[in-house]
Amino acid sequence: MTTDGRGPGDRPALSRCVPVDPSLFAEEFWGRRPLFTRAADLGGDGFADLFSVDAVDDLVSSRALRTPFVRMAKEGTVLAPSRFTGPGGFGAEVGDQLDSAKVLAEFANGATLVLQGLHRTWPAVAEFSRRLSAELGHPAQVNAYITPASSRGFDPHYDVHDVFVLQVAGEKHWRIHEPVHVDPLRDQPWSDHRDEVAARAAEAPVIDETFRPGDALYLPRGWIHSAEALGGVSVHLTIGVAAYTRADVVREAVGRVADVAALRASLPVGFDPADPSAVAPVVDETVDALIAALSDPSARPAIAAAVAERLRLRQRSDSPPSPVRPLATIAAAESLGPDTVVVARPGLRPDVTVEVETVTVRLPAKKVALPIAARDAVGRLLDGRPVAVAELPLDERSAVVVARRLLREGIVVLEGDSGATQDADEFDFADPAGVSSDGERSATADFGTATPT
């Protein structure tokens, strides 16, 4: 079994969550209906490589977690942080560090422990989450829910994001009901429909199952759910997927077309927003102008390009790249040679532009400019496949200089540091003009330094 996030047999992350082909999942289940799967039908060995009961104890006792990376709840009520946190002691003067003894007391008294943001605190989960996010095209985050025997943590509710539930240990009885508010947006929480949710939860459930280790559930946002541990401690991972929506496209498109004369015009003198009769004609005129701007066929390509760019930047911000190991990277850069194997840093999504004399790798906070002689080498380094430095299409000394430069800048990593590969189509080579290079000499050319943007 591998433990690099792809699962037994080097499987894609999604295949560990659902038993159907990705295209079938996209067509029949994504955003439409839930899918519950027994461990045997997923063809794997469960999720012990991702998380475990021992991992819970490790995080609680040894990792100095602070809020908001942890919370506790009992019978539908979230506990005050002071009931499970405390001062960190000499050398760690904080007041909200997780107190393992307090956690023990609350857990023994029936409270559920929620380890939030596990994709930031537990490496195996972080890598799996990053892979799943890349496969789905939407950002993901992970919480672990640890529930004592015969207890429930939260009342029936719905989430404003899709979820994958992976049962790690113990058993938990889940009840799933159809939505009362289909496809809720992030600012439309279940508490806005509290009475309707409670009434729906009293009806016969669509799914009424006891989850056992290795079982998995996909649940679209809006579907009502509640769960109760059975017989012993239950541990499950909830992977929340914050799907980009058509409402996001609308917002970005409207933002793009708002810069037209008809929409930049001031509202009338004496305009009274408290008078509906005064607001109505302004709304009509504005909507007509907006529709006209959006309906212009000649403007559609520019609108589409602007929306794509905005969503691309959001995706880059929502899904950070895999972390780097600073000290190990410095040491590796110093000893890097022809036999060193490197790979593009997973999830980085740099922009690569090619000019007459330079190839530039652009990140949100900096750019690394290299001479045009390095173009093919950069493309090979960023295509997602591990590569030995000697295999780069440059003379040996220049290849070492280029690889070292990108390693030190956190653009590539040593093979094995990330446990991941990346699709080549995440990197686009464009051809705008006007970027110069400067910096370090190599055997063939000036291979540049990074500059902030």
Side-chain angles (χ1 to χ4, degrees):
M1 177 190 299
T2 63
T3 57
D4 64 357
R6 294 185 74 84
D10 201 36
R11 294 163 54 190
L14 182 60
S15 74
R16 299 191 66 183
C17 304
V18 300
V20 298
D21 182 85
S23 60
L24 181 63
F25 173 75
E27 293 171 5
E28 296 192 6
F29 296 97
W30 174 250
R32 293 178 175 83
R33 57 192 177 102
L35 176 60
F36 172 67
T37 310
R38 290 292 180 193
D41 296 322
L42 288 172
D45 298 326
F47 306 110
D49 61 313
L50 299 180
F51 204 58
S52 66
V53 171
D54 288 342
V56 175
D57 276 343
D58 188 2
L59 283 164
V60 171
S61 65
S62 305
R63 301 302 179 97
L65 292 184
R66 301 174 60 189
T67 56
F69 282 100
V70 62
R71 59 179 170 147
M72 298 192 79
K74 184 179 179 182
E75 300 299 321
T77 300
V78 176
L79 304 186
S82 60
R83 291 179 57 174
F84 54 87
T85 64
F90 178 70
E93 288 80 1
V94 296
D96 63 344
Q97 185 170 306
L98 195 61
D99 185 315
S100 58
K102 287 184 176 181
V103 172
L104 170 61
E106 296 294 350
F107 192 79
N109 197 35
T112 289
L113 171 67
V114 185
L115 298 173
Q116 303 192 140
L118 207 61
H119 60 294
R120 303 295 294 172
T121 59
W122 196 253
V125 171
E127 180 57 31
F128 182 80
S129 171
R130 192 201 65 76
R131 288 182 179 278
L132 183 62
S133 176
E135 292 172 23
L136 295 173
H138 302 272
Q141 62 90 35
V142 185
N143 293 345
Y145 291 80
I146 304 94
T147 308
S150 304
S151 296
R152 67 178 177 88
F154 299 92
D155 289 330
H157 64 283
Y158 67 72
D159 293 322
V160 295
H161 48 263
D162 296 53
V163 299
F164 292 90
V165 177
L166 310 181
Q167 188 71 23
V168 172
E171 297 184 351
K172 202 161 194 178
H173 186 198
W174 284 73
R175 294 179 178 88
I176 311 296
H177 295 81
E178 292 186 349
V180 297
H181 183 63
V182 176
D183 291 337
L185 299 176
R186 298 187 194 186
D187 60 353
Q188 298 173 333
W190 73 274
S191 54
D192 290 349
H193 303 273
R194 189 181 299 272
D195 293 341
E196 297 96 321
V197 167
R200 181 59 55 83
E203 300 174 1
V206 174
I207 293 176
D208 189 354
E209 294 282 358
T210 297
F211 287 35
R212 299 181 177 88
D215 293 348
L217 170 73
Y218 164 70
L219 194 65
R221 56 196 163 102
W223 284 73
I224 298 164
H225 54 280
S226 60
E228 180 179 356
L230 301 176
V233 173
S234 166
V235 179
H236 77 262
L237 300 176
T238 293
I239 304 172
V241 182
Y244 299 123
T245 69
R246 285 172 174 77
D248 294 318
V249 174
V250 169
R251 280 190 287 270
E252 302 300 348
V254 169
R256 174 66 176 80
V257 302
D259 188 20
V260 297
L263 295 175
R264 294 198 306 269
S266 302
L267 296 181
V269 172
F271 174 74
D272 182 5
D275 180 3
S277 64
V279 174
V282 172
V283 171
D284 289 342
E285 294 172 3
T286 302
V287 170
D288 288 344
L290 179 62
I291 292 174
L294 290 170
S295 299
D296 181 2
S298 65
R300 290 292 178 88
I303 294 173
V307 170
E309 176 64 9
R310 291 290 299 172
L311 291 179
R312 186 183 71 86
L313 293 175
R314 277 186 55 185
Q315 185 182 55
R316 174 185 272 177
S317 174
D318 290 340
S319 301
S322 63
V324 296
R325 296 159 56 87
L327 302 187
T329 298
I330 292 297
E334 292 176 354
S335 61
L336 185 142
D339 295 331
T340 305
V341 179
V342 296
V343 66
R345 181 180 171 192
L348 190 62
R349 299 183 181 90
D351 296 319
V352 181
T353 58
V354 178
E355 301 81 30
V356 175
E357 297 182 352
T358 58
V359 54
T360 303
V361 183
R362 298 174 181 272
L363 302 175
K366 65 182 177 183
K367 63 183 180 182
V368 179
L370 306 169
I372 195 64
R375 174 179 180 172
D376 291 343
V378 170
R380 179 64 183 88
L381 285 163
L382 298 184
D383 70 7
R385 298 171 295 154
V387 59
V389 173
E391 297 173 2
L392 296 175
L394 285 169
D395 66 85
E396 184 175 292
R397 184 179 173 191
S398 297
V400 168
V401 171
V402 170
R404 179 181 291 127
R405 178 80 266 158
L406 297 188
L407 182 67
R408 290 177 65 94
E409 298 296 344
I411 294 170
V412 302
V413 295
L414 294 182
E415 184 187 27
D417 274 1
S418 64
T421 57
Q422 194 164 0
D423 293 334
D425 60 6
E426 289 190 8
F427 307 102
D428 295 323
F429 284 81
D431 289 291
V435 180
S436 62
S437 63
D438 61 357
E440 174 179 298
R441 298 294 300 178
S442 78
T444 58
D446 181 344
F447 280 105
T449 58
T451 56
T453 58

